[in-house]
Amino acid sequence: YDCYAFADQDDVWMKEKVQSGLNSLADRTGPALYFSNAELVDAELQSLGREVYKKSPRLDFYTLLCAGGLLGCTMVFNRGLAELLCRGDIPHNVVMHDFYAAIVCAALNGTIYFDMESHMKYRQHGDNVVGVSSGMGNAIKNRIEHITDRQKIGIAEQAEELVNRYGMDMPENFRRWTEQVAGYRKAFAGRRCLACSSKTQYVNRHTAFTLRMAILMGSR
């Protein structure tokens, strides 16, 4: 097909959602990915009075490889990216499918489009695999968990997967950065270097503090 979209079963698409993505991807021959804002709603689809993004997220490769953060349930991507994602066997060392799709696109000089308009209702409920924190208490709890709880598959494993599959096709500076992320846990100096790197520019100071501390602890 010309384009594909991730579809989460518990969210609701507005009627123009797919077309908005198709319009952004029109006439692109290289790998390209579109994603948008989303309205937060409760389990009964009642608005929570806010959207996921207050401002445009960072889309540069250096930040994406460490932070991710692109809303997969809004993504539409073209055949060029789909063919890259389908190269070889199914990858196993992936933090999240949307995280991986975004960094593959960025790593191979693809184009990522962000639409600040909301084109879907992003349902928040107790069974969310991934959601958005609400309330000060939940936000603090989630930040502490991000810093202290080491994931079985983190950015290091995902970066190693990326460089093994696409390293020969990546620009040299991207490949070196990916190798640095892949090996960052091996020594404290590597964790400190990545945590303090000015190449990563997170969306706000709270996210920056949480992710930099998680990297310093080797938990990210």
Side-chain angles (χ1 to χ4, degrees):
Y1 295 91
D2 292 331
C3 292
Y4 300 81
F6 293 129
D8 290 9
Q9 71 272 20
D10 54 351
D11 299 321
V12 175
W13 291 2
M14 298 175 188
K15 63 181 182 179
E16 78 283 357
K17 190 265 188 190
V18 173
Q19 191 62 53
S20 298
L22 296 179
N23 291 343
S24 293
L25 298 175
D27 302 322
R28 288 295 308 179
T29 55
L33 181 151
Y34 160 95
F35 73 109
S36 75
N37 217 332
E39 179 188 5
L40 293 173
V41 298
D42 64 18
E44 305 303 321
L45 298 180
Q46 298 301 306
S47 176
L48 297 177
R50 57 168 290 203
E51 297 175 319
V52 173
Y53 298 104
K54 296 179 181 179
K55 62 180 182 179
S56 298
R58 299 284 306 188
L59 301 179
D60 63 280
F61 178 70
Y62 297 101
T63 300
L64 282 179
L65 193 61
C66 294
L70 309 191
L71 193 58
C73 55
T74 69
M75 286 181 177
V76 181
F77 51 96
N78 67 359
R79 184 187 302 174
L81 180 56
E83 289 175 348
L84 289 174
L85 293 172
C86 290
R87 181 186 293 179
D89 298 330
I90 295 174
H92 297 291
N93 291 325
V94 172
V95 175
M96 289 291 288
H97 61 284
D98 48 3
F99 193 162
Y100 187 73
I103 61 174
V104 169
C105 188
L108 300 178
N109 288 319
T111 305
I112 299 178
Y113 300 93
F114 173 62
D115 184 352
M116 193 67 183
E117 295 294 320
S118 293
H119 299 292
M120 61 165 286
K121 297 179 183 293
Y122 185 26
R123 197 193 304 255
Q124 304 296 293
H125 53 74
D127 295 326
N128 279 85
V129 175
V130 176
V132 176
S133 300
S134 61
M136 180 65 73
N138 285 334
I140 293 173
K141 177 176 178 291
N142 286 342
R143 287 193 188 114
I144 292 173
E145 289 176 350
H146 275 303
I147 293 170
T148 59
D149 294 350
R150 179 169 175 172
Q151 301 299 311
K152 182 178 180 181
I153 297 176
I155 60 171
E157 291 78 15
Q158 185 167 255
E160 185 174 3
E161 183 86 56
L162 185 72
V163 78
N164 286 341
R165 285 174 176 267
Y166 306 103
M168 295 297 293
D169 301 318
M170 294 164 62
E172 178 65 18
N173 55 325
F174 285 1
R175 186 182 61 79
R176 289 199 305 268
W177 178 251
T178 306
E179 290 172 345
Q180 181 180 341
V181 174
Y184 91 93
R185 290 202 192 104
K186 294 178 180 179
F188 178 75
R191 300 198 303 271
R192 181 183 61 190
C193 182
L194 187 60
C196 298
S197 174
S198 60
K199 289 183 178 180
T200 50
Q201 299 292 322
Y202 300 106
V203 66
N204 57 53
R205 61 183 181 179
H206 299 297
T207 300
F209 174 79
T210 300
L211 296 186
R212 291 186 189 280
M213 286 299 297
I215 289 170
L216 190 63
M217 298 286 290
S219 301
R220 180 71 176 142

